[in-house]
Amino acid sequence: VALYKSVPTRLLSRAWGRLNQVELPTWLRKPVYSLYIWTFGVNMKEAAVEDLHHYRNLSEFFRRKLKPQARPVCCLHSVISPSDGKILNFGQVKNCEVEQVKGVTYSLESFLGPRICTEELHFSQAPPGNSFQQQLVTKEGNELYHCVIYLAPGDYHCFHSPTDWRVSHRRHFPGSLMSVNPGVARWIKELFCHNERVVLTGDWKHGFFSLTAVGATNVGSIRIYFDQDLHTNSPRYSKGSYNDFSFISNNNKEGISMRKGEHLGEFNLGSTIVLIFEAPKDFKFHLKAGQKIHFGEALGSL
């Protein structure tokens, strides 16, 4: 593990990112992309543009858009999958710990960082002695839930709003860019806390809601469409540091309102989405660990 952590994954990811931006000759595009499609099982029939010659470089191919009808958004359930991927874990958050894969946990506070100003988020005015988990819950009788979705290299790489909610704050943690493949996640404790990530926090009709995009090897770019100030995988950063940005201002008291299914951001290559949110005790997930899921399909509801 120590040897793997010493690998300069950020430098390699930046190099890979530059390579992905190199325009391929037209004659080379089909064989290169066809090899990728065969290796990772990409379904090009869902792509808005199926012609492989259209994609000038690997980066454009990774970030390909889908046909509008390819991913219908479920209207019956309150929370949908924000992306394509594989369900690694889900359930109630217990003892301020969240599972990244079965049996391997990480600290909720280390992952999200210290509490954000209560003026921006409607946190409960919990006594200071309460646990971090209890401080996030705003309504009596509610619980904190989590869901982890792993995006493989062959998956659709855009992610969308999982519900109707209001984004108040962005916290960017520079960090490592280790692989988040489930096989790797089993033997590196707190992997998601080591890796670079972008935490979006806000609230939905039941209280606290957050979506975190976790970077990984060769995923040096995490893009949030409404956040032009966000720049990921910079050459220099201080270990353990983070920077905050508020979407609440004198001119915008509500932050960024997102509708269920609305485009939110994108990765280059594959990575992980982590949802942590508050909901009543009768909230139920409609999932099985290890199942494949598509953007727009139901995660859970009341």
Side-chain angles (χ1 to χ4, degrees):
V1 171
L3 183 63
Y4 178 60
K5 286 182 178 180
S6 69
V7 174
T9 51
R10 292 177 65 83
L11 178 63
L12 292 173
S13 296
R14 281 196 299 277
W16 177 252
R18 290 193 180 97
L19 181 63
N20 285 352
Q21 297 290 342
V22 174
E23 186 167 340
L24 296 175
T26 305
W27 63 268
L28 190 57
R29 294 174 189 176
K30 189 169 183 177
V32 168
Y33 301 147
S34 295
L35 177 62
Y36 187 92
I37 290 166
W38 177 79
T39 303
F40 296 111
V42 178
N43 183 1
M44 283 303 292
K45 290 183 179 178
E46 298 177 332
V49 180
E50 296 184 43
D51 181 10
L52 298 181
H53 296 104
H54 168 81
Y55 302 100
R56 294 173 298 176
N57 51 48
L58 279 165
S59 181
E60 284 190 4
F61 179 71
F62 293 148
R63 294 180 288 108
R64 66 193 175 276
K65 299 295 187 286
L66 298 182
K67 293 171 182 171
Q69 67 274 22
R71 295 289 184 273
V73 174
C74 177
C75 299
L76 300 176
H77 299 274
S78 53
V79 184
I80 61 166
S81 177
S83 66
D84 287 7
K86 179 181 179 182
I87 301 294
L88 294 191
N89 223 297
F90 63 93
Q92 281 190 21
V93 177
K94 296 179 180 178
N95 303 318
C96 297
E97 294 280 319
V98 186
E99 283 193 310
Q100 59 190 30
V101 291
K102 190 172 182 179
V104 182
T105 63
Y106 56 92
S107 159
L108 180 65
E109 186 167 8
S110 297
F111 182 69
L112 295 178
R115 280 183 66 192
I116 299 159
C117 175
T118 53
E119 292 177 2
E120 292 183 17
L121 298 176
H122 303 305
F123 287 136
S124 58
Q125 299 299 318
N130 280 20
S131 70
F132 183 79
Q133 178 178 335
Q134 290 169 326
Q135 291 173 14
L136 293 182
V137 176
T138 66
K139 299 178 182 178
E140 189 175 349
N142 280 2
E143 299 286 349
L144 208 60
Y145 297 87
H146 74 100
C147 182
V148 183
I149 305 167
Y150 167 69
L151 289 76
D155 286 329
Y156 167 59
H157 296 110
C158 295
F159 50 94
H160 301 248
S161 178
T163 192
D164 295 336
W165 65 307
R166 181 182 71 111
V167 185
S168 309
H169 190 273
R170 179 258 290 160
R171 176 168 283 161
H172 172 217
F173 291 85
S176 301
L177 285 171
M178 292 181 282
S179 171
V180 291
N181 182 285
V184 175
R186 286 189 185 93
W187 50 268
I188 299 184
K189 183 175 172 61
E190 299 211 324
L191 170 62
F192 294 164
C193 298
H194 291 303
N195 270 18
E196 181 156 17
R197 60 198 181 280
V198 177
V199 182
L200 300 178
T201 47
D203 55 88
W204 70 318
K205 61 184 177 181
H206 299 297
F208 174 80
F209 200 97
S210 72
L211 179 148
T212 302
V214 183
T217 308
N218 298 334
V219 190
S221 173
I222 301 171
R223 184 181 171 199
I224 306 297
Y225 295 137
F226 57 73
D227 188 354
Q228 302 303 314
D229 296 318
L230 175 66
H231 301 287
T232 56
N233 196 11
S234 300
R236 291 187 179 86
Y237 75 98
S238 300
K239 192 173 182 179
S241 66
Y242 61 85
N243 57 75
D244 288 336
F245 184 85
S246 174
F247 298 111
I248 303 289
S249 66
N250 291 331
N251 297 325
N252 180 14
K253 300 287 187 184
E254 293 300 314
I256 307 294
S257 294
M258 297 297 300
R259 304 295 295 173
K260 184 167 68 172
E262 189 176 349
H263 277 84
L264 183 54
E266 62 187 37
F267 292 111
N268 273 335
L269 211 58
S271 197
T272 297
I273 296 281
V274 179
L275 302 180
I276 297 173
F277 59 93
E278 172 186 359
K281 289 182 178 179
D282 56 351
F283 181 87
K284 295 233 176 348
F285 284 102
H286 305 289
L287 301 171
K288 292 180 182 177
Q291 79 172 72
K292 285 287 290 179
I293 197 165
H294 291 117
F295 153 61
E297 293 178 349
L299 284 186
S301 63
L302 296 167

